């Protein structure tokens, strides 16, 4: 599959599974799960330093260094375009000018559904400032196209609500999005188990981003491995070109002649 | 200042206030990550990072809404009333 790499903003990635780094028990588990997933692109959050806490405490980037992974700073917890833009400016400074980012602007804390109006405003500012924006959004195909037109390098529609594990609620909207945008479409949010990831890839999505599905599994490292396989399987199935679905027209796979007679 | 000093010689109980006054000229209050801190002397961002035991750690700093580039930490003075945001990378989805 060496020629089937995921291309985002001109850079090539072998893994179509992107994973988050939150909600793990500890750094050991985080590292083991990321390793098992085979992910090359991993999201991180930007937060205030715990001043006064143990100064010898390792930082996330000590175990997941920028030299080994493509870090994708997010704007989790931002409810306005201004906050998201500020956060990503800080992230870019933190990561020595690295400009590939994940933009998410949320609408309310109960659903964590994206506020697409603020998302569009933030995307405009960020693209103008030279960021390469991978944008988390709803599965609205019109908004997706607008975000692409603004200059986002990837569209990341939700499968279902963040952390819900409900899987893909509207595969038809994902199809509408893929029919309309040229940049990679990466399903982000709501994946719950391996089949959800496989379905996303079978639909023709270019990748899947998940966090809770792995971190909240009973055995995160095993689930990470399952997800790696699911994304690969779904992608292969997509490239293989599935058989058509037919409601009627049952057609047996075995010959219909030469059946043995009645005893 | 001359007349101020002679006032102190005449009224010794004012001396404490004068020392306090002089000291207070240097003391600054800074809001760091939402919490107020006072510093005896004005300082620059590099000195702040040292005082907070964050030297060598990967941090990004914003002062009054503007990013302070890491290369300019030593040049950037912190003033009384400054709002500083000091952030790091953490796990997230």
């Amino acid at each position: 599959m060496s020629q089937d790499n995921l291309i985002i903003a001109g850079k090539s990635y072998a893994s179509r599974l992107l994973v988050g780094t939150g909600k793990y028990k500890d750094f050991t588990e985080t590292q083991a799960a990321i390793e098992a997933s085979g992910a090359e692109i991993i999201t991180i959050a930007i937060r205030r330093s715990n001043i006064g806490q143990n100064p010898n405490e390792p930082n996330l980037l000590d175990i997941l260094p920028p030299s080994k992974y493509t870090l994708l700073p997010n704007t989790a917890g931002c409810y306005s375009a201004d906050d998201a833009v500020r956060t990503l400016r800080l992230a870019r400074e933190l990561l020595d000018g690295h400009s590939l980012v994940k933009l998410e602007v949320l609408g309310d804390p109960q659903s964590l559904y994206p506020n697409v109006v603020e998302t569009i405003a933030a995307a405009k500012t960020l693209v103008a400032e030279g960021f390469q924006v991978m944008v988390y959004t709803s599965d609205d195909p019109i908004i997706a196209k607008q975000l692409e037109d603004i200059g986002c390098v990837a569209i990341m529609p939700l499968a279902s609500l963040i952390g819900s594990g409900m899987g893909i609620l509207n595969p038809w909207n994902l199809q509408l999005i893929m029919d309309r945008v040229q940049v990679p479409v990466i399903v982000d949010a709501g994946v719950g188990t391996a089949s959800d990831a496989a379905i996303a890839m079978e639909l023709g999505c270019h990748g899947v981003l998940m966090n809770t599905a792995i971190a909240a599994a009973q055995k995160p490292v095993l689930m990470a491995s399952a997800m790696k396989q699911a994304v690969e399987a779904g992608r292969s199935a997509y490239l293989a070109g599935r058989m058509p679905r037919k409601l009627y027209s049952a057609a047996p796979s075995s010959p219909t002649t030469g059946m043995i007679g009645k005893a | 200042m001359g007349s101020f000093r002679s006032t102190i010689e005449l009224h010794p109980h004012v001396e404490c206030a004068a020392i306090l006054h002089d000291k207070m000229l240097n003391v600054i209050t800074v809001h760091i990550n939402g919490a107020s801190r006072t510093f005896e002397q004005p300082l620059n961002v590099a000195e702040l990072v040292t005082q907070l035991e964050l030297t060598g750690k990967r941090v990004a700093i914003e002062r009054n809404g503007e990013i302070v580039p890491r290369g300019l930490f030593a040049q950037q003075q912190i003033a009384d009333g400054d709002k500083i945001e000091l952030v790091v990378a953490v796990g997230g989805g």
Side-chain angles (χ1 to χ4, degrees), chain A residues 19-22 43-53 55-57 59-61 66 74 76 86 89-91 93-96 102 104 209 211, chain B residues 32-35 37 51-54 57-73 84-93:
Chain A
V19 305
T21 52
T43 61
I44 57 170
I46 304 297
R47 289 288 180 268
R48 287 171 163 177
S49 174
N50 255 335
I51 293 163
Q53 304 290 315
N56 296 318
E57 209 178 292
N59 178 263
L60 182 73
L61 300 193
N74 70 20
R86 268 179 75 203
R89 285 176 183 150
L90 279 161
E93 179 61 28
L94 189 75
L95 298 177
D96 306 317
K102 169 175 162 173
E104 57 186 292
L209 199 164
N211 191 154
Chain B
I32 305 174
N33 287 354
R37 274 194 187 224
Q51 284 204 30
L52 298 177
E53 295 187 289
L54 293 170
K57 306 281 181 185
R58 195 184 273 269
V59 300
I61 295 180
E62 191 198 65
R63 172 179 171 261
N64 301 329
E66 306 268 330
I67 305 275
V68 182
R70 197 175 315 141
L72 297 180
F73 277 3
I84 306 275
E85 289 290 342
L86 202 156
V87 299
V88 295
V90 301

